[in-house]
Amino acid sequence: MKKILGIVSVSLCAISLAACGSKGAEKKTTSSSSKVEKAVNKTTKKDASKSNEIPTDADHNWFFRDNIFYAGNETMTLNKSEVLDGSEAGSKVLVLHTTILNNSKKEQDPSNFYMVIHAKQKTDTSNVDLTPGTLAIDENGNSPLQAEQDNLNNALLPGKKVNTVLMFTLKNNNPVTIEFSNADFSKLGTKTYNVE
């Protein structure tokens, strides 16, 4: 009986490893084809990073300049910032008021900007990534910026523009550095906000 269980166990392990191996192979193939597609896209896209005009289509390389983050299908304009009370007692949240324009011909998800925008703040020992924040609600259970929060999470129609907010929970009163990355997660630029 022990021999049969041993053979069954070894067989199951082999099947599991084979399955993992084939998944890895698929990932490598997908990854290679993605790299080829990205390389082709890079050569066919226009560079608007040094132009004074901001593109209104999706056919340009991503860039961050001044208060404009052009990310192909969407463009974010940073309007103003403020620090508000967070949902947890004693916490503070950095709020970035933005406008997002859909440059594409399809609906877009503005919340995808959280994948390529990161906030960092220095503590006594580290430069830490800040997590997305939530605001304290009023006595009626409402968030003071609910409309802008909804705009960030709703599908944005082609050619349309909405006001949104990005929010990050602060660790302390040190300045916050916002990092803007491209689709390959390479840093395009930074902007620093004082939070005192």
Side-chain angles (χ1 to χ4, degrees), residues 182-195:
N182 65 15
D184 294 329
F185 304 107
S186 298
K187 186 164 58 172
L188 295 173
T190 63
K191 184 172 178 70
T192 302
Y193 290 90
N194 291 319
V195 296

Side-chain angles (χ1 to χ4, degrees), residues 6 9 26 38 41 44-45 62 72 74 83 89 94 99 119 122 133 138 141-142 150 153 166 182-183 193:
S9 294
E26 287 173 15
K38 286 177 184 173
N41 286 339
T44 59
K45 294 200 182 245
W62 292 25
E74 298 176 280
V83 176
L94 173 64
T99 303
K122 290 183 181 175
D138 65 20
N142 298 316
D150 290 344
N153 294 302
L166 294 179
N182 65 15
Y193 290 90

